[in-house]
């Protein structure tokens, strides 16, 4: 069964460093998403991406964040200058159709630790 | 604004006992409702979803959920819990006009042997 994959599974970085989190969505999906979950808190929407542009973003997704689909298979989230509060689990998701009726399939997550 | 509330942070049940996890949502129109499960070290797996029609929906792993508009609830149930059901369960709502899902804070289920 096709699945969303994410690399790395765990990333440790120093505050102020740039990180890139990588995702490979399911191949025939057209809509892509990033969510994050700070330890002990709810899963929060960051951004959605369709047709090579951001379709929606939350207030969390400020200028420090960017997303890109550099080729036909990868979808990346970049954090330019990480802060301690960026430590969280980051989930990538993809869907064939637009939400809400398009079911989002989630990857296993990347745990980001900012020291 | 849309919101999802899961009142129970932790629930402990014995294996073989029945289970009900509560979920309440706040949204003016008909919501699109989901239950996801997250096992340790795993991603979010969809258990079931409600879009319209029959208010009792069946999902994977023997789970079901009932949409009650009058109570703004979408509670998850399972008649007999297995030890492998120990995980964190998230209720989520999707709404027309946005791309995002809004998640509840989750309920961590512990199963006693």
């Amino acid at each position: 069964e096709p699945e969303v994959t994410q690399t790395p599974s765990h990333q440790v970085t120093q505050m102020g460093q740039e990180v890139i989190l990588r995702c490979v969505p399911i191949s025939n999906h057209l809509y892509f998403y990033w969510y994050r979950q700070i330890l002990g808190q709810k899963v929060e929407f960051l951004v959605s991406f369709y047709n090579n542009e951001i379709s929606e973003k939350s207030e969390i997704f400020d200028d420090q964040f960017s997303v890109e689909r550099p080729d036909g298979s990868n979808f990346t989230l970049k954090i330019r200058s990480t802060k301690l509060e960026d430590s969280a689990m980051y989930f990538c998701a993809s869907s064939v159709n637009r939400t809400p009726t398009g079911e989002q399939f989630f990857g296993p997550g990347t745990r980001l630790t900012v020291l | 604004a849309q919101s999802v509330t899961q009142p129970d942070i932790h629930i402990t049940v014995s294996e073989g006992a029945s289970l009900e996890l509560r979920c309440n949502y706040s949204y003016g129109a008909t919501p699109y409702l989901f239950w996801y499960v997250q096992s340790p070290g795993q991603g979010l797996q969809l258990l079931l979803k409600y879009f319209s029609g029959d208010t009792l929906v069946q999902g994977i792993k023997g789970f079901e959920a009932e949409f009650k508009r009058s109570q703004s609830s979408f509670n998850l149930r399972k008649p007999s819990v297995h030890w492998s059901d120990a995980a964190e369960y998230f209720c989520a709502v999707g709404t027309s006009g946005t791309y995002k899902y809004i998640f509840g804070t989750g309920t961590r289920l512990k199963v006693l042997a």
Side-chain angles (χ1 to χ4, degrees), chain A:
Chain A
E1 185 176 330
E3 58 184 18
V4 176
T5 59
Q6 292 184 241
T7 54
S9 57
H10 192 187
Q11 173 95 44
V12 181
T13 190
Q14 295 292 323
M15 188 170 55
Q17 295 297 303
E18 174 184 287
V19 294
I20 297 176
L21 309 183
R22 291 183 166 80
C23 168
V24 179
I26 295 172
S27 62
N28 64 328
H29 286 191
L30 301 176
Y31 298 83
F32 313 109
Y33 315 85
W34 283 101
Y35 290 78
R36 79 172 185 190
Q37 183 185 25
I38 295 172
L39 188 64
Q41 299 186 23
K42 63 174 66 178
V43 176
E44 301 173 288
F45 170 80
L46 291 178
V47 66
S48 60
F49 191 83
Y50 169 70
N51 200 26
N52 279 320
E53 60 182 29
I54 290 173
S55 46
E56 184 176 359
K57 60 182 181 179
S58 73
E59 62 275 9
I60 302 168
F61 194 87
D62 62 21
D63 292 344
Q64 292 299 311
F65 292 89
S66 62
V67 289
E68 189 179 29
R69 189 153 162 82
D71 52 43
S73 60
N74 290 281
F75 179 52
T76 61
L77 173 69
K78 181 192 289 186
I79 309 175
R80 289 190 183 82
S81 179
T82 50
K83 306 182 186 70
L84 295 176
E85 54 265 35
D86 293 327
S87 294
M89 179 75 88
Y90 289 80
F91 292 104
C92 174
S94 66
S95 64
V96 175
N97 297 312
R98 179 184 169 155
T99 52
T101 53
E103 175 190 338
Q104 294 183 20
F105 291 78
F106 286 80
T110 293
R111 179 163 297 284
L112 176 65
T113 301
V114 182
L115 302 177

Side-chain angles (χ1 to χ4, degrees), chain B residues 36-48:
Chain B
Y36 281 86
V37 60
Q38 183 183 24
S39 298
Q42 304 295 312
L44 299 165
Q45 182 184 22
L46 181 69
L47 286 175
L48 46 77

Side-chain angles (χ1 to χ4, degrees), chain B residues 32-103:
Chain B
Y32 299 82
L33 296 160
F34 308 84
W35 274 100
Y36 281 86
V37 60
Q38 183 183 24
S39 298
Q42 304 295 312
L44 299 165
Q45 182 184 22
L46 181 69
L47 286 175
L48 46 77
K49 59 189 176 187
Y50 172 79
F51 290 165
S52 64
D54 193 347
T55 56
L56 184 64
V57 293
Q58 303 296 321
I60 62 171
K61 305 185 180 188
F63 285 92
E64 66 178 25
E66 187 172 12
F67 171 60
K68 292 186 178 180
R69 184 187 301 276
S70 61
Q71 298 177 19
S72 297
S73 69
F74 188 57
N75 294 347
L76 182 71
R77 301 194 293 247
K78 186 169 185 178
S80 178
V81 169
H82 188 262
W83 64 266
S84 60
D85 293 324
E88 187 144 23
Y89 292 80
F90 291 94
C91 182
V93 63
T95 58
S96 297
T98 80
Y99 291 83
K100 63 186 176 186
Y101 286 178
I102 296 170
F103 284 83

